[in-house]
């Protein structure tokens, strides 16, 4: 149908105004969706402002950061890796201050429990967002940090399909915010930050080497981490920041993330629920280079200890390392190990892997980290899972979150000779 010509008596630009209004509404909708799609945080701006005014807050930061050796700001301190790294640093005498926004990507109670654990080690954690530039500026002024361990990020590959904007907010904008604070700080700290093995994406060459191509990400999470590596290069080149990136390979262990397969497999097996085990084409096994948390912590500390000072301008240290176990294990074998340790038959359902951004396998070449960081992983998967399950039973039985009919004793006291049993479905 042909549009009728506009009347000569009308205003000259009626159609343009309509389009302008339409696209203005579309833009407004995107802005609203961006803020609604950002990861929720329990740290309110008013809480942060009250904290910044209080002398107690300033005193706590100074006391927690005080040290004759390293003074480290750990972002994402109430996260899985952040908690372990913070405690390891404090135990050896370094000053540590944490920052975390306690978002609700997974159960906030676990993050609060980790924060309580940090408090027991006299580590002060500021509740705030790394995108809050004024908060970071105040922290750097008070803490005089020599190093930053940047672990705050939106984790998870599959969650990107549900909330993609959270990855831009945390992994890209958040990284820029932290690097800006480091650039402007006096002294300028050396930066160690968490990239990911996900950057290898569709790479088929194994094991994955730092020299391999990383321009084919399989997920938005991977793309955000790859973008982070390029951003880090820029800040190193222009502002002379000493920056070390660490590509973690499937970290697991006590105080871990509930969204990880080993964690939710354990939970569902104990509840008698069916678990989905994904397979590749033609029944090909999906495998991961599972790396125990204590080994990852040693790599993080090695990177901090060997980091050179930032220069402020001119050439500065820029490094990138794989931190893995270099022994990939099929997910089906992971399940068999859990069955063995739990003495429970899992109700398994084999399914083809959906197109959700996950890759079929990961395998780390750690020769560079061994050579330059002294990195040497020692914990095999069965040993690491046993340690995780000891923690899991203790944590969830004491918090009454573990179903009573599925409760199992800690594995160190497991009766010898007990046969496997099938737990009924709730």
């Amino acid at each position: 149908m042909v549009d009728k010509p506009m009347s000569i008596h009308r205003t000259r630009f009626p159609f343009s105004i309509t389009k302008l209004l339409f696209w203005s509404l579309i833009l407004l909708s995107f802005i609203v969706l961006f803020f609604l799609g950002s990861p929720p945080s329990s740290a309110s701006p008013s809480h942060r402002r009250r904290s910044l005014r209080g002398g107690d807050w300033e005193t706590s930061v100074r006391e927690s950061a005080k040290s004759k050796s390293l003074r480290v700001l750990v972002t994402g301190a109430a996260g899985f890796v952040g908690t372990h790294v913070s405690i390891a640093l404090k135990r050896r005498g370094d000053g540590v201050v944490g920052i975390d926004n306690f978002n609700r990507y997974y159960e906030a109670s676990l993050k609060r429990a980790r924060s309580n654990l940090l408090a027991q080690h006299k580590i002060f954690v500021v509740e705030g967002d790394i995108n809050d530039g004024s908060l970071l500026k105040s922290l750097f002024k008070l803490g005089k940090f020599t190093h930053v361990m940047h672990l705050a990020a939106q984790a998870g590959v599959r969650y990107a399909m549900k909330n993609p904007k959270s990855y831009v907010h945390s992994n890209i904008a958040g990284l820029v915010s932290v690097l800006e604070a480091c650039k402007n700080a006096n002294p300028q700290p050396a930066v160690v930050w968490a990239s990911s093995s996900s950057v290898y994406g569709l790479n088929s060459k194994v094991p994955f080497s730092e020299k391999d191509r990383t321009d084919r990400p399989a997920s938005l999470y991977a793309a955000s981490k790859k973008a982070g590596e390029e951003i880090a290069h820029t800040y190193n080149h222009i502002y002379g920041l000493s920056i070390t990136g660490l590509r973690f390979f499937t970290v697991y262990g006590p105080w871990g993330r509930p969204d990880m397969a080993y964690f939710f497999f354990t939970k569902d097996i104990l509840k008698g629920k069916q678990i989905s085990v994904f397979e590749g084409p033609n029944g090909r096994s999906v495998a991961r280079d599972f790396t125990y948390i204590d080994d990852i912590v040693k790599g993080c500390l090695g990177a901090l200890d060997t980091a050179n000072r930032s220069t402020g301008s001119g050439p500065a240290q820029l490094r990138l390392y794989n931190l893995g176990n270099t022994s990939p294990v099929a997910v089906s074998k992971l399940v068999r190990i859990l069955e063995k340790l739990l003495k429970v038959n899992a109700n398994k359902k084999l399914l083809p892997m959906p197109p959700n951004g996950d890759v079929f396998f990961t395998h780390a070449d750690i020769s560079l980290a061994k050579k330059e960081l002294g990195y040497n992983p020692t914990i095999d998967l069965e040993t690491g899972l046993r340690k995780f399950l000891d923690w899991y039973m203790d944590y969830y039985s004491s918090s009454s979150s573990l179903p009573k009919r599925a409760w199992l004793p800690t594995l160190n006291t497991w009766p010898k000779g007990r046969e496997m049993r099938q737990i009924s479905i709730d």
Side-chain angles (χ1 to χ4, degrees):
M1 184 177 73
V2 179
D3 292 335
K4 294 180 180 180
M6 291 186 293
S7 168
I8 59 174
H9 298 293
R10 292 180 183 173
T11 305
R12 187 175 180 182
F13 306 109
F15 186 60
S16 296
I17 292 173
T18 301
K19 287 202 298 183
L20 179 62
L21 289 173
F22 173 76
W23 287 111
S24 296
L25 288 172
I26 292 294
L27 178 60
L28 180 61
S29 299
F30 274 117
I31 293 173
V32 171
L33 283 172
F34 176 81
F35 286 105
L36 290 177
S38 296
S41 170
S42 58
S44 67
S46 61
H47 171 77
R48 292 196 295 268
R49 285 196 294 268
R50 287 197 299 272
S51 297
L52 286 169
R53 291 194 192 109
D56 291 343
W57 180 84
E58 295 181 352
T59 300
S60 297
V61 170
R62 290 194 184 100
E63 287 298 316
S64 193
K66 187 181 297 183
S67 174
K68 293 182 179 180
S69 51
L70 305 188
R71 298 186 302 276
V72 187
L73 175 66
V74 179
T75 70
F80 172 31
V81 179
T83 296
H84 284 272
V85 170
S86 296
I87 291 173
L89 288 169
K90 197 70 172 181
R91 280 177 172 169
R92 70 178 198 174
D94 295 320
V96 183
V97 175
I99 180 172
D100 203 292
N101 69 352
F102 294 89
N103 69 31
R104 296 185 295 275
Y105 168 59
Y106 57 80
E107 56 188 81
S109 60
L110 179 56
K111 297 179 183 181
R112 295 292 177 186
R114 295 191 194 120
S115 182
N116 292 337
L117 182 64
L118 293 174
Q120 293 172 23
H121 287 82
K122 301 187 184 306
I123 298 170
F124 184 69
V125 179
V126 177
E127 187 168 344
D129 197 305
I130 56 173
N131 283 286
D132 187 338
S134 62
L135 175 60
L136 290 181
K137 182 178 179 180
S138 297
L139 279 173
F140 277 91
K141 183 178 179 181
L142 292 167
K144 301 292 182 183
F145 302 112
T146 60
H147 296 72
V148 170
M149 187 76 220
H150 178 49
L151 298 169
Q154 176 58 62
V157 169
R158 301 172 192 176
Y159 184 64
M161 300 180 72
K162 179 180 179 181
N163 188 4
K165 293 180 178 63
S166 65
Y167 292 80
V168 177
H169 176 82
S170 296
N171 300 359
I172 298 177
L175 175 61
V176 170
S177 178
V178 169
L179 293 178
E180 279 290 305
C182 293
K183 175 197 77 175
N184 296 323
N186 184 19
Q188 273 190 343
V191 180
V192 177
W193 73 287
S195 182
S196 170
S197 62
S198 294
V199 299
Y200 290 108
L202 302 179
N203 179 38
S204 58
K205 172 186 166 293
V206 291
F208 298 161
S209 166
E210 293 89 346
K211 296 178 182 179
D212 292 344
R213 64 184 297 186
T214 54
D215 59 349
R216 296 181 296 170
S219 66
L220 181 59
Y221 170 70
S224 72
K225 286 297 186 179
K226 176 58 180 177
E229 292 184 356
E230 301 304 321
I231 291 168
H233 179 277
T234 302
Y235 273 80
N236 168 267
H237 174 69
I238 297 175
Y239 303 112
L241 285 178
S242 170
I243 303 178
T244 302
L246 303 175
R247 292 173 174 171
F248 295 160
F249 280 72
T250 316
V251 190
Y252 73 100
W255 296 99
R257 281 175 25 213
D259 64 315
M260 298 292 285
Y262 73 95
F263 201 116
F264 64 74
F265 279 173
T266 297
K267 181 179 179 180
D268 289 344
I269 289 172
L270 290 175
K271 288 185 175 181
K273 292 184 176 180
Q274 186 177 75
I275 62 172
S276 297
V277 180
F278 295 126
E279 293 182 323
N282 302 317
R284 177 183 173 191
S285 295
V286 174
R288 291 290 181 269
D289 200 342
F290 295 101
T291 313
Y292 189 65
I293 182 61
D294 288 0
D295 289 328
I296 289 292
V297 169
K298 291 175 184 175
C300 291
L301 268 58
L304 288 168
D305 291 341
T306 57
N308 293 338
R309 292 182 179 181
S310 293
T311 63
S313 62
Q317 187 180 54
L318 180 66
R319 305 181 296 173
L320 200 56
Y321 299 103
N322 289 336
L323 294 187
N325 193 54
T326 199
S327 299
V329 177
V331 174
S332 56
K333 183 176 180 180
L334 164 72
V335 174
R336 291 197 299 271
I337 294 173
L338 287 174
E339 289 179 315
K340 173 185 174 182
L341 296 175
L342 293 172
K343 302 188 186 296
V344 178
N345 285 318
N347 180 7
K348 303 181 288 288
K349 183 176 183 180
L350 300 180
L351 295 170
M353 181 178 284
N356 56 15
D358 271 326
V359 295
F360 294 117
F361 60 90
T362 60
H363 184 183
D365 177 349
I366 59 172
S367 56
L368 185 63
K370 277 188 173 183
K371 178 182 177 182
E372 298 187 3
L373 304 182
Y375 176 69
N376 184 33
T378 59
I379 307 298
D380 64 87
L381 184 58
E382 183 167 339
T383 301
L385 286 176
R386 182 179 293 276
K387 292 175 180 288
F388 163 72
L389 291 173
D390 277 343
W391 167 83
Y392 184 95
M393 299 303 175
D394 180 66
Y395 179 80
Y396 283 104
S397 62
S398 62
S399 64
S400 301
S401 297
L402 190 66
K404 291 182 179 179
R405 62 190 296 190
W407 184 87
L408 297 172
T410 55
L411 300 181
N412 288 335
T413 58
W414 187 269
K416 294 182 179 180
R418 179 178 290 185
E419 298 298 323
M420 280 191 174
R421 60 189 175 89
Q422 178 70 49
I423 294 180
S424 61
I425 299 176
D426 291 335

